[in-house]
Amino acid sequence: MRRLTVLALGEAMVELSASPDPALWHLGFAGDTLNTAWYLRRLLPEGQAVGYLTRVGTGGFSTRLRDFIAAAGIVTDHIATDPAREVGLYAIDLTDGERSFTYWRSASAARGLADDAGALDRAFAEAATLYLSGITVAILPPAGRDRLAVALARASEGGARVVFDPNLRPRLWEDAATMRAQITRFAGLSDLILPSFDDEAAQFGDEGPPATIARYLDAGAGAVVVKAAGAPVHYGGADGAGVVADLPRATPVDSTAAGDSFNAGYLAAALQGQPPEAAIRAGHALALRVIAHRGALVPI
C-alpha cells in the first residue's frame, strides 16, 4: 500500500503580503502546489497522508519553511537540501481584490528539484496521486523537465495518478512556444488536468472551455476540469462530461490561491469517491472561503 495519498511537487517560497498597516508586511510561506497540499491536508482524513517534494537551502528561511510545512502535517521526507541556493521570495500587491506579484526567485533551490532521477523515482513510488503545476515545470532547466517527464511516466505505469494544473505563467518560460509545447507534453502524461480558462484562452487561443477540454484530451489527458473564475465550470473525459452552471459568485478580498484552493477542494472530494459535479462544488466552495481573506493560506 502506498504511504502517501498525495505527493505535491513544486516551489515553496517566502510570501510577503500587505497588512492593515500599510507600513508593515506580513511574512508567510506559500507557492501554488504547496497551497494545494496545505488545503488538502486540512480536508482529507488524518489517515490519508499528504507529502511535499521540493528543494530548499540551508539558511534560516529554508529552515523555517521546512518547519512550517512539517507543522502543517505535511510529510517532509522528500524535501532535499541544496547547499548553494536558498528559497525564493514573492510579494503580493492588491488592487480591488485582484493580485499582482513581484518575484525574487531566479536562484531558487527548487529549480533543482528534478536533478536526482533516483530520488524522483523513490518519492513517486510512495504516492497514489502526484500533483504538479506548470510552474513546477517552468522553473526547471530542460534536463530537469526531461527527468521529471520520465519519472512521471514511470510512476503512471506503476499505478500512480498524475494531476496537473497548467497554471500558465509566461514570464517564467524561455518563450511562448516552449511554454505551450511543455504544457502540452506534461498534460499528455496526466490523468486529470485542472486549467483556468482565462489563461488558456490568452495563451492557446481557445474560444471556450469545450475547446480547452478537447485540446487537452487530444494531447492525451484522461480528464479535464476547466476553472472559470466563478463562471460555469465545464468538465470532460474519462470521468464523464458536463457543466456546473449555478455556482455562487463573490467579490474577492484577495484572489490569491483561488485556483490552488479549488484544486484542493476538488481533489479531496474526488479522493473520497465524489463524482465530478460534487467535486466541482466542493472546490468552488473552498475557493469562495479563501478569496474572502488576505493571503494564500487562510483558516478553513
Side-chain angles (χ1 to χ4, degrees), residues 9-13 52-57 62 65 80 82 85-88 105-115 135-137 139-141:
L9 50 147
E11 182 180 31
M13 305 176 72
Y52 198 67
L53 186 153
T54 191
R55 185 173 284 200
V56 300
S62 289
L65 172 58
D82 187 324
R85 294 183 173 188
E86 282 298 330
V87 295
R105 74 197 311 176
S106 61
S108 168
R111 291 180 177 269
L113 68 83
D115 283 358
I135 293 176
T136 310
V137 180
I139 65 170
L140 300 179

Side-chain angles (χ1 to χ4, degrees), residues 156-199:
S156 182
E157 290 171 1
R161 188 183 193 211
V162 178
V163 179
F164 180 55
D165 179 348
N167 210 354
L168 300 169
R169 297 293 180 264
R171 294 200 310 180
L172 291 178
W173 293 90
E174 302 93 314
D175 53 67
T178 300
M179 177 187 69
R180 288 191 289 267
Q182 291 295 323
I183 291 296
T184 302
R185 175 193 192 186
F186 280 84
L189 297 170
S190 303
D191 298 283
L192 172 64
I193 311 291
L194 294 162
S196 296
F197 177 68
D198 288 347
D199 293 340

Side-chain angles (χ1 to χ4, degrees), residues 57-293:
T58 60
F61 282 118
S62 289
T63 300
R64 290 171 65 181
L65 172 58
R66 192 190 294 264
D67 291 346
F68 171 83
I69 295 172
I74 298 169
V75 176
T76 60
D77 294 359
H78 301 296
I79 298 179
T81 300
D82 187 324
R85 294 183 173 188
E86 282 298 330
V87 295
L89 178 148
Y90 72 97
I92 304 171
D93 288 314
L94 286 174
T95 303
D96 298 327
E98 290 300 323
R99 68 212 188 281
S100 61
F101 300 97
T102 303
Y103 291 99
W104 296 265
R105 74 197 311 176
S106 61
S108 168
R111 291 180 177 269
L113 68 83
D115 283 358
D116 186 337
L120 289 178
D121 286 340
R122 291 189 294 274
F124 291 2
E126 293 189 11
T129 297
L130 300 168
Y131 175 78
L132 71 156
S133 76
I135 293 176
T136 310
V137 180
I139 65 170
L140 300 179
R145 292 170 188 162
D146 291 342
R147 280 189 291 270
L148 178 58
V150 169
L152 288 170
R154 212 159 19 223
S156 182
E157 290 171 1
R161 188 183 193 211
V162 178
V163 179
F164 180 55
D165 179 348
N167 210 354
L168 300 169
R169 297 293 180 264
R171 294 200 310 180
L172 291 178
W173 293 90
E174 302 93 314
D175 53 67
T178 300
M179 177 187 69
R180 288 191 289 267
Q182 291 295 323
I183 291 296
T184 302
R185 175 193 192 186
F186 280 84
L189 297 170
S190 303
D191 298 283
L192 172 64
I193 311 291
L194 294 162
S196 296
F197 177 68
D198 288 347
D199 293 340
E200 302 293 327
Q203 301 304 321
F204 285 93
D206 296 342
E207 294 185 358
T212 301
I213 293 171
R215 176 170 51 80
Y216 280 128
L217 293 179
D218 286 346
V224 187
V225 176
V226 184
K227 295 168 288 186
V233 173
H234 293 67
Y235 64 95
D239 298 326
V243 182
V244 181
D246 58 343
L247 297 168
R249 304 191 70 169
T251 300
V253 172
D254 179 356
S255 59
T256 305
D260 306 332
S261 57
F262 176 97
N263 294 351
Y266 182 96
L267 286 174
L271 288 168
Q272 303 310 304
Q274 295 296 311
E277 181 170 329
I280 287 167
R281 294 186 185 282
H284 184 77
L286 179 58
L288 283 181
R289 294 175 65 181
V290 170
I291 66 173
H293 300 80

